[in-house]
Amino acid sequence: MGESTENYIRRLARANHLRPSALHAIACGPPNWVGKPRLERLAVLTSRPADHLNEALTDAVAPRRRITVTGQYQRLPRGTYLLYRAIQKDAEAGLSLRHLTERHGVSRHIVRAALTALLPPARQRPNRHRKTPVTASVRHLITPMIRQNVSSKDIWKTLMDDHGISISFSTLNAYVRNQRTGYRGPTPPTC
């Protein structure tokens, strides 16, 4: 209990004399062979029930794609979300139901829906320029392979198989592409 999916795949691959990248690709399946492994495919590979794996693996229920908000929230169109957020903000300032309907030009039904809707918290925008890139800790391994013209996928496989490092393929691919083209990213503004 308490093991990540990546560690479990790595341990399972070693126990069965497989390369971790190959087992990871099989667990992900098409069309995204290098994404997040699917729990149902991993259950078939290990002959374990999916609910047992769900309990044992710490990140099994995490969504396949990164999202900024966790939890069960109603999917609202962008304009509706912004309207609901504005109505809630004005209601917190003490405006009455009548004033809210007049200010936002909507019916009382919509104002009530906005006040009872469970909305995700406002997203905090992080600093645009990451201080330490994800690839910083493995740069010494990646740079020689880039100089030898090794493909991004082969670099990803080498990191996973030979060094036990799991890194997002899209992040690695962007880093390799930027290194090969000479792109260094936006320069931070000077004061």
Side-chain angles (χ1 to χ4, degrees), residues 57-68:
L57 302 175
T58 57
D59 58 349
V61 293
R64 283 181 50 78
R65 297 192 183 272
R66 293 186 181 111
I67 58 173
T68 57

Side-chain angles (χ1 to χ4, degrees), residues 72-85 88 110 113-120:
Q72 299 289 329
Y73 294 111
Q74 182 181 4
R75 292 269 181 191
L76 298 171
R78 182 183 174 107
T80 306
Y81 174 82
L82 296 175
L83 173 67
Y84 279 20
R85 178 66 69 204
Q88 287 180 354
I110 291 176
L115 295 177
T116 58
L118 178 64
L119 294 179

